[in-house]
């Protein structure tokens, strides 16, 4: 009798103990080591041991991103020991490398994408509408009604300059494009510095001028979409023509140095950082790299590249979202890829990332600390001009016409006749429009 009561009592105690343990597990996420995990890591937890998973996160050669996510991938594996994340460096940000991978059905699990790339990869990307990371993002990338990516950053374009050189030469910050050209002439006349450091050997370095210049000059945020409806978008007097002639003048007058086409991007930044050049035109993303190498921004400032012809009205600077993350819908580990995606945008992880990058946050409720840019954008204010780069028709027509604004700028810089080149571009564009039925 006593034995029966003892067994019953033991059973009651066991049930009570299980209830206590269950209640605890509902309230606290734990790691495999049994320690409490931060709130932002709950998406990374699993309720039971799982099979080993290997994910690949591909990104182009942006050192700050590569270093940051390589370290974070190690942290993630500590949280989920069965998951390892390999950060893979893509050799170009123009999409050519991933196009080869796409054709071979060998895309990584997660990948960085430019806005213009979504039309190329849309059939291979997983819709992400259900992810909390996407719902919280200010600029989710939608194609055909589906969210296929969310950007990690948004940023503006600037001209970085050395205030000491401007002071030495008696130069003030330009507010118009003619004034900008006059500043380069004054620097050149001084004989000590390259006016504008340009890595013309790498065609993508022309993007602040030729990719964004015609767009801003048009005053039309839907510029790319409307370009695809115009059979002669490169005619004399067009915004492309205006920027093309400015690029030709920069080349002819050696404002970018004696032989900018033999200078790589790395060499151009090295020249600026060594104060061999007065200015360099790059995005907000360049600042962390500068600080890593120079260690101080005491002799660094920025102003918006002013494409306007007159001083009336606001100076505008291109504002775009970038470092869009997409997920390969054919990944063997879609659910784990989604879990890692959510973790990348979790509060603690994303806050550390965006402050490291010194760019604007794309996540609602998370702001970035930007003391350098807050200082100089107050001194040299501008109005953001939003970039929309996912228009389907433009993607089709520009691809068929083999038009790349950065390569076009490099061609003009190399000395090709603008009139002849514009005729060639218009002919290809018209044929591409006809083939597309536009």
């Amino acid at each position: 009798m006593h034995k029966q009561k003892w067994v019953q009592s033991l059973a009651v105690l066991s049930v009570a103990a299980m209830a206590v343990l269950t209640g605890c597990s509902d309230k606290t996420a734990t790691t495999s080591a049994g320690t409490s995990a931060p709130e932002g890591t709950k998406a990374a937890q699993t309720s039971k041991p799982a099979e080993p998973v290997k994910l690949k996160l591909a990104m182009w050669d942006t050192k700050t991103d590569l270093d940051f996510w390589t370290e974070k991938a190690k942290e993630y594996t500590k949280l989920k020991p069965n998951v390892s994340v390999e950060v893979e460096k893509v050799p170009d940000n123009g999409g050519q490398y991933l196009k080869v991978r796409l054709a071979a059905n060998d895309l990584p699990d997660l990948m960085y994408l430019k806005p213009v790339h979504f039309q190329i990869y849309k059939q291979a990307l997983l819709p992400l509408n259900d992810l909390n990371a996407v719902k919280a993002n200010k600029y989710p990338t939608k194609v055909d009604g589906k969210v296929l990516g969310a950007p990690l950053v948004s940023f503006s374009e600037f001209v970085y300059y050395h205030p000491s050189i401007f002071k030495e030469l008696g130069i003030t910050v330009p507010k118009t494009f003619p004034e900008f050209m006059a500043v380069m002439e004054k620097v050149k006349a001084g004989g000590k510095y390259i006016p504008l450091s340009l890595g013309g050997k790498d065609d993508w370095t022309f993007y602040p001028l030729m990719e964004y210049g015609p767009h801003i000059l048009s005053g039309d945020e839907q510029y790319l979409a409307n370009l695809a409806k115009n059979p002669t978008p490169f005619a004399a007097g067009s915004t492309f023509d205006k920027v093309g002639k400015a690029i030709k003048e920069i080349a002819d007058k050696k404002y970018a140095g004696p032989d900018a086409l033999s200078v790589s991007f790395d060499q151009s930044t090295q020249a600026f950082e060594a104060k061999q050049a007065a200015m360099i035109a790059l995005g907000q993303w360049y600042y962390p790299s500068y600080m890593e190498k120079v260690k101080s921004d005491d002799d660094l400032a920025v102003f918006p590249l002013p494409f306007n012809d007159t001083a009336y009205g606001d100076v505008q600077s291109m504002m775009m979202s970038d470092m869009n993350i997409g997920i390969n819908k054919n990944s063997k580990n879609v659910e784990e890829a989604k879990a890692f995606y959510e973790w990348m945008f979790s509060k603690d992880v994303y806050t550390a990332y965006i402050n490291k990058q010194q760019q604007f946050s794309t996540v609602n409720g998370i702001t970035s600390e930007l003391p350098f840019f807050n200082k100089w954008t107050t001194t040299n204010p501008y109005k953001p001009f939003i970039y929309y780069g996912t228009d389907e028709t433009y993607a089709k027509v520009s691809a068929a016409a083999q038009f790349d604004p950065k390569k076009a700028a490099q061609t003009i810089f190399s000395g090709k006749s603008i009139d002849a080149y514009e005729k060639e571009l218009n002919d290809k564009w018209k044929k591409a429009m006809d083939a597309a039925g536009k």
Side-chain angles (χ1 to χ4, degrees), residues 43-44 55 76 80 109-110 126-133 326-328 331 333-345:
L55 296 175
Y76 192 77
K80 296 188 74 172
D109 302 281
L110 304 101
L126 184 75
L128 306 174
N129 302 61
D130 62 326
L131 296 189
N132 291 326
I327 295 179
N328 176 7
S331 167
N333 301 290
V334 166
E335 292 306 315
E336 289 290 0
K338 288 165 69 175
F340 181 70
Y341 198 107
E342 296 277 33
W343 185 79
M344 290 177 76
F345 283 96

Side-chain angles (χ1 to χ4, degrees), residues 5 8 54 96 100 217 263 265 275 299 340 354:
K5 288 182 178 179
Q8 289 174 340
K54 291 184 178 180
Q96 196 59 43
V100 176
L217 279 172
V263 176
F265 167 70
K275 295 186 183 179
D299 194 23
F340 181 70
I354 202 65

Side-chain angles (χ1 to χ4, degrees), residues 17-310:
M18 288 178 66
V20 171
L21 289 173
T22 302
C24 290
S25 66
D26 286 341
K27 294 177 182 178
T28 308
T30 58
T31 66
S32 59
T35 57
S36 296
E39 185 71 23
T41 66
K42 288 183 180 179
Q45 307 303 319
T46 53
S47 59
K48 60 182 180 179
E51 294 296 319
V53 171
K54 291 184 178 180
L55 296 175
K56 281 190 176 183
L57 168 62
M59 61 186 67
W60 47 82
D61 189 4
T62 303
K63 190 176 188 306
T64 306
D65 284 67
L66 287 167
D67 291 347
F68 182 88
W69 291 117
T70 297
E71 288 304 309
K72 285 298 176 184
K74 297 174 185 176
E75 290 183 22
Y76 192 77
T77 298
K78 290 180 182 178
L79 296 170
K80 296 188 74 172
N82 68 303
V83 180
S84 61
V85 182
E86 177 188 346
V87 177
E88 179 183 0
K89 183 171 75 173
V90 172
D92 71 274
N93 66 4
Q96 196 59 43
Y97 175 77
L98 286 180
K99 285 180 186 177
V100 176
R101 298 276 294 271
L102 176 65
N105 193 27
D106 184 36
L107 286 175
D109 302 281
L110 304 101
M111 69 208 86
Y112 274 27
L113 294 168
K114 293 283 186 182
V116 295
H117 295 160
F118 279 91
Q119 289 296 336
I120 299 170
Y121 300 102
K122 65 181 181 180
Q123 299 301 329
L125 296 175
L126 184 75
L128 306 174
N129 302 61
D130 62 326
L131 296 189
N132 291 326
V134 165
K135 294 174 183 177
N137 203 281
K138 300 174 186 177
Y139 313 110
T141 305
K142 294 182 180 179
V143 177
D144 301 335
K146 299 175 183 177
V147 176
L148 299 181
L152 284 165
V153 301
S154 63
F155 61 87
S156 285
E157 293 296 319
F158 296 104
V159 175
Y160 293 81
Y161 69 101
H162 294 299
S164 64
I165 295 178
F166 273 38
K167 182 177 180 180
E168 176 187 341
L169 299 176
I171 294 171
T172 57
V173 170
K175 298 293 193 296
T176 68
F177 204 82
E179 288 179 3
F180 178 63
M181 299 296 282
V183 165
M184 288 192 282
E185 176 59 37
K186 194 164 186 177
V187 174
K188 181 188 175 185
K192 288 177 61 177
Y193 309 102
I194 297 169
L196 180 68
S197 195
L198 180 65
K201 184 177 181 180
D202 297 317
D203 59 44
W204 68 266
T205 61
F206 286 96
Y207 83 90
L209 291 167
M210 187 54 93
E211 185 173 5
Y212 295 160
H215 200 146
I216 292 176
L217 279 172
S218 73
D220 179 11
E221 290 183 346
Q222 299 298 323
Y223 169 75
L224 295 182
N226 291 324
L227 204 68
K229 303 171 186 175
N230 183 353
T232 57
F234 311 108
S238 66
T239 57
F240 175 90
D241 180 67
K242 290 180 181 179
V243 176
K245 286 176 178 173
I247 289 172
K248 179 172 173 48
E249 184 176 352
I250 292 170
D252 291 346
K253 293 185 176 180
K254 308 295 184 184
Y255 289 157
D259 188 15
L261 289 176
S262 68
V263 176
S264 69
F265 167 70
D266 287 341
Q267 290 171 321
S268 72
T269 57
Q270 289 164 10
F272 177 73
E273 290 149 12
K275 295 186 183 179
Q276 296 168 5
M279 300 178 287
I280 191 168
L282 292 171
Q284 201 168 333
W285 51 266
Y286 170 61
Y287 177 76
S289 175
Y290 179 93
M291 288 299 294
E292 183 177 340
K293 289 179 279 187
V294 180
K295 309 300 182 186
S296 170
D297 58 15
D298 289 346
D299 194 23
L300 184 71
V302 293
F303 63 84
L305 179 55
F307 285 102
N308 46 311
D309 291 329
T310 69

